[in-house]
Amino acid sequence: MASLRSARRASLAVARARPLPLGRPSPAPCSAWAAAMEPAPRWLAGLRFDNRALRALPVETPPPGPEGAPSAPRQVPGACFSRARPAPLQQPRVVALSGPALALLGLGAAALEAEAEAEAALFFSGNALLPGAEPAAHCYCGHQFGQFAGQLGDGAAMYLGEVCTAAGERWELQLKGAGPTPFSRQADGRKVLRSSIREFLCSEAMFHLGVPTTRAGACVTSESTVVRDVFYDGNPKHEKCTVVLRVAPSFIRFGSFEIFKPTDEHTGRAGPSVGRNDIRVQMLDYVIGSFYPEIQAAHAHDSDHVPRNAAFFREVTRRTARMVAEWQCVGFCHGVLNTDNMSILGLTIDYGPFGFLDRYDPDHVCNASDHAGRYAYSKQPEVCKWNLQKLAEALEPELPQALGKAILEEEFDSEFQRHYLQKMRRKLGLVSVAQEEDGALVARLLETMRQTGADFTNTFSLLSSFPLEPQSPGLAEFLTSLTSQCASLEELRLAFRPQMDPRQLSMMLMLAQSNPQLFALIGTQASLARELDRVEQQSQLEQLSPEELQSRNRGCWADWLQEYRVRLEKDMAGAGDRAAWQAERVRVMQANNPKYVLRNYIAQSAIEAAENGDFSEVRRVLKLLESPFHGDGEAAGGPEAAGAARGWHSYSSKPPLWAAELCVT
């Protein structure tokens, strides 16, 4: 297993595209001749496209170039989309399909599974276009790690069009990894198997957890390869090109409105459509009319659009606050919360170096490239609020900046706290009466989890079996189960292992004192403080025995559980029927505390199998994640049982020790 583990780091990291020789794509086919050249679908024949975004917003047609060559990277002024064409892949084949996501499009289970997979491989790889599809790449900008980056855009994704269903719904289809676009910069527009499997699985996992998210309908790989230098260390390798079919009402994001930004005073970069307020107005009309129809209707007769735009920004703020509250309650870390990765609909979007908490650490950073910890777990609400401020700035003059700021201050914190506490009460089984002290109870729970290194998901899951009677014979057994979810001495020593050589740390400390300006160029006070904390923690751990650690953990949990019992008794007193209250408490807790989340080691095991040509583990994990709150996976023949039969680590167990070595960038 050691050789496998040493390779895990390389297979998991999400690397930047290496430049490859590129050409220019031809415009999307629109003639009868072009349509006739595409194969006719059968299973997918019922998809009906009505591409409203391309009618409502300005679209650039790429300048003519060599026939069959892909699109050259360039600035795209005065447009929200640029027409593109997926680049074909060699021998595409399906890794997995998500039935629930495809059902949104009206696609049921095909009578012949092999035929459905063949069509999915052909059309969802981009090798052929469905009738009515009009591939295009979306233009947007973004603040990345707090700095304005200028034009970004869909460098590895393509809008296919919008499918209208018999249920009256409209879904945008997008292929991620379908080849170069005008926004690919120096990259090749491709995604590889490891990053695609992670995005595919997490999109669906988040939906079934009840978190607002974009969806993933298919993951299709191929025999085409691209070169990736995973760690930028001069050791590139060939990896298989893979495409994910993404589904959402829209993929418009905060950064879509930043294309009008004038030259930034810090970076010197500007959006490609500076001064085009007419397009900003078009975008607001389209987004509000299409996705916030109740706001459009309420202000249909207003001559001044500011009240409508204010109502729109208020609702985006509320949705974003609720979304990040949901993240915090399931222990989800996004990893790259730039403004270009924030959905205008309040959906989780763009799954890259994400992660779910294992050992609870509020300062956990899931993206190994985030050296300053800007997007740490505990900072996500603050960062989302900062991103909303940038959206408000991007809406000016259609939304006066002072008004946008006032709305943000009025709405975000209160909506986040309200939703967060409401969700946490359900996770703790407080089903009767809300109490003022509930926020403090939650805070002390999280602090107990931090002190003991408790597993975030499993600790919440276990609490539903907490015996209410103080003298219950099951209390000691429960406490043993709970402390078994705490970090072992070995885990803690690994977690707090210093990252710097002692001589390097000493030099950095001296430099921070003697030359702060030079120190600021090579490090941060926050990173230095984290390293000093690691050294101190490591020193304390060296003096601790496993028995002392276990005793300390039991004491911490016994103290909090006593407080929790008092609060549960108050909740029960307000309910009347004790048996009914207890049944409801357990039901609510089991419906809000998942047993399964997409931990990095689970995704990694599926990736390694897929890279060896075995897609069954991806499909098994997908099935498991469709029922995260129930024990379905453990039923005879279920995904958990099947994994155990193959010798896999249990999907609901604490991660194995090697999981701490996994690195996502």
Side-chain angles (χ1 to χ4, degrees):
M1 196 64 190
S3 60
L4 272 178
R5 290 176 192 169
S6 64
R8 289 179 191 279
R9 186 178 170 95
S11 66
L12 186 58
V14 181
R16 182 181 304 154
R18 172 177 289 266
L20 295 177
L22 302 177
R24 185 183 303 274
S26 57
C30 54
S31 66
W33 176 84
M37 298 296 289
E38 300 289 0
R42 296 179 61 183
W43 176 53
L44 302 174
L47 297 181
R48 296 289 178 261
F49 283 86
D50 177 44
N51 306 325
R52 186 162 59 188
L54 300 188
R55 295 196 304 272
L57 300 173
V59 181
E60 181 223 48
T61 298
E67 185 177 354
S71 181
R74 62 182 181 278
Q75 289 288 296
V76 180
C80 296
F81 289 92
S82 179
R83 294 196 183 274
R85 177 78 189 221
L89 293 172
Q90 297 175 15
Q91 301 177 43
R93 58 177 178 150
V94 169
V95 176
L97 300 176
S98 170
L102 294 174
L104 297 173
L105 310 177
L107 295 172
L112 296 174
E113 188 174 321
E115 182 178 303
E117 287 206 1
E119 278 195 26
L122 180 65
F123 291 101
F124 296 156
S125 65
N127 276 23
L129 288 180
L130 290 162
E134 297 181 77
H138 180 41
C139 181
Y140 52 82
C141 294
H143 281 79
Q144 299 191 318
F145 290 88
Q147 302 295 318
F148 186 64
Q151 177 180 288
L152 299 169
D154 283 336
M158 290 185 199
Y159 165 103
L160 279 186
E162 299 159 56
V163 169
C164 295
T165 70
E169 296 176 332
R170 176 183 293 268
W171 296 97
E172 179 180 325
L173 304 189
Q174 189 184 79
L175 296 182
K176 186 168 183 177
T181 76
F183 309 108
S184 297
R185 291 167 282 177
Q186 300 306 308
D188 53 26
R190 291 299 191 189
K191 294 296 177 183
V192 296
L193 189 59
R194 52 189 162 79
S195 60
S196 299
I197 287 174
R198 282 171 55 83
E199 169 141 20
F200 173 75
L201 289 175
C202 200
S203 299
E204 292 305 280
M206 291 287 272
F207 169 76
H208 293 290
L209 287 170
V211 181
T213 181
T214 58
R215 303 293 300 275
C219 181
V220 179
T221 193
S222 69
E223 293 304 309
S224 298
T225 61
V226 286
V227 177
R228 294 291 185 265
D229 186 349
V230 180
F231 297 107
Y232 318 113
D233 59 0
N235 294 300
K237 67 173 185 175
H238 287 271
E239 298 192 60
K240 290 185 176 180
C241 297
T242 306
V243 177
V244 174
L245 173 72
R246 306 204 298 184
V247 181
S250 174
F251 286 90
I252 289 180
R253 52 207 64 211
F254 290 10
S256 304
F257 289 91
E258 292 189 290
I259 63 174
F260 316 107
K261 181 175 171 58
T263 302
D264 184 82
E265 61 178 330
H266 301 294
T267 65
R269 298 189 177 107
S273 297
V274 178
R276 293 299 303 272
N277 192 55
D278 57 318
I279 300 178
R280 183 190 282 113
V281 170
Q282 277 183 273
M283 288 182 66
L284 281 165
D285 288 347
Y286 168 70
V287 169
I288 297 172
S290 298
F291 309 112
Y292 296 87
E294 67 289 346
I295 292 176
Q296 182 67 32
H299 297 274
H301 303 296
D302 293 356
S303 56
D304 180 5
H305 279 172
V306 169
R308 181 201 68 170
N309 298 341
F312 159 68
F313 181 68
R314 188 180 301 275
E315 181 58 22
V316 174
T317 297
R318 289 172 175 168
R319 289 190 187 188
T320 303
R322 293 193 294 268
M323 174 192 73
V324 70
E326 291 283 347
W327 292 356
Q328 302 306 100
C329 289
V330 294
F332 174 76
C333 306
H334 185 281
V336 201
L337 275 179
N338 302 325
T339 57
D340 55 293
N341 295 331
M342 298 285 295
S343 163
I344 204 70
L345 304 181
L347 304 174
T348 314
I349 191 173
D350 294 341
Y351 293 93
F354 66 85
F356 284 86
L357 292 178
D358 292 324
R359 175 180 61 85
Y360 177 70
D361 175 8
D363 298 323
H364 176 68
V365 178
C366 62
N367 178 1
S369 303
D370 183 6
H371 303 296
R374 176 181 176 85
Y375 299 143
Y377 167 77
S378 62
K379 294 181 180 177
Q380 291 184 135
E382 172 190 337
V383 169
C384 285
K385 186 177 180 181
W386 190 90
N387 288 342
L388 282 161
Q389 178 60 44
K390 294 303 164 188
L391 173 62
E393 293 171 11
L395 296 178
E396 199 175 27
E398 297 307 304
L399 178 69
Q401 195 169 145
L403 178 56
K405 184 176 182 181
I407 291 170
L408 187 56
E409 291 303 321
E410 180 184 338
E411 295 288 350
F412 185 85
D413 293 338
S414 60
E415 185 70 8
F416 172 80
Q417 285 297 334
R418 184 196 65 78
H419 194 81
Y420 177 78
L421 263 182
Q422 182 184 68
K423 182 77 173 182
M424 278 295 184
R425 286 189 181 103
R426 291 197 293 265
K427 289 175 76 69
L428 292 178
L430 304 177
V431 296
S432 182
V433 181
Q435 299 276 342
E436 263 190 47
E437 68 264 25
D438 290 346
L441 178 71
V442 170
R444 283 190 286 271
L445 166 62
L446 295 177
E447 177 57 19
T448 302
M449 291 172 69
R450 186 195 68 79
Q451 289 177 345
T452 61
D455 185 272
F456 184 88
T457 300
N458 290 355
T459 298
F460 275 107
S461 183
L462 271 172
L463 286 176
S464 63
S465 60
F466 174 53
L468 297 180
E469 298 298 334
Q471 306 305 320
S472 169
L475 183 58
E477 183 181 349
F478 173 80
L479 198 53
T480 298
S481 296
L482 196 58
T483 53
S484 73
Q485 295 304 320
C486 298
S488 68
L489 204 53
E490 190 177 9
E491 289 174 83
L492 291 174
R493 285 173 178 162
L494 186 61
F496 291 105
R497 182 178 53 192
Q499 304 296 307
M500 294 182 189
D501 179 273
R503 290 171 297 180
Q504 181 188 5
L505 177 59
S506 178
M507 183 192 72
M508 294 288 280
L509 285 169
M510 288 190 293
L511 189 61
Q513 293 178 343
S514 62
N515 194 336
Q517 291 80 14
L518 179 59
F519 172 75
L521 296 175
I522 60 175
T524 65
Q525 290 290 348
S527 61
L528 190 58
R530 283 197 299 272
E531 185 64 15
L532 289 171
D533 182 60
R534 289 190 195 100
V535 171
E536 182 181 353
Q537 292 279 359
Q538 193 70 224
S539 175
Q540 293 176 4
L541 290 169
E542 291 298 331
Q543 303 170 33
L544 198 64
S545 71
E547 294 75 23
E548 289 170 329
L549 177 65
Q550 186 177 40
S551 175
R552 189 182 72 179
N553 289 345
R554 286 182 75 90
C556 288
W557 278 109
D559 289 344
W560 184 82
L561 289 172
Q562 185 174 357
E563 184 180 354
Y564 181 42
R565 177 181 286 109
V566 171
R567 177 63 184 90
L568 286 173
E569 287 171 351
K570 289 181 182 178
D571 203 67
M572 182 171 55
D577 186 332
R578 181 186 179 96
W581 172 86
Q582 170 66 355
E584 178 65 3
R585 166 183 167 259
V586 171
R587 185 195 68 78
V588 168
M589 292 184 76
Q590 290 182 344
N592 285 275
N593 292 312
K595 190 168 186 177
Y596 308 109
V597 294
L598 185 62
R599 299 178 189 261
N600 273 342
Y601 83 90
I602 295 176
Q604 182 60 19
S605 296
I607 289 166
E608 289 179 0
E611 288 180 331
N612 289 319
D614 178 5
F615 303 148
S616 64
E617 183 63 11
V618 176
R619 300 179 185 193
R620 185 176 295 113
V621 170
L622 176 65
K623 195 68 180 172
L624 184 87
L625 296 172
E626 289 176 3
S627 301
F629 298 105
H630 310 293
D632 298 353
E634 295 180 340
E640 177 92 12
R646 294 179 56 175
W648 295 90
H649 198 78
S650 171
Y651 297 115
S652 60
S653 298
K654 273 179 60 184
L657 196 60
W658 57 258
E661 297 291 327
L662 294 175
C663 175
V664 191
T665 64

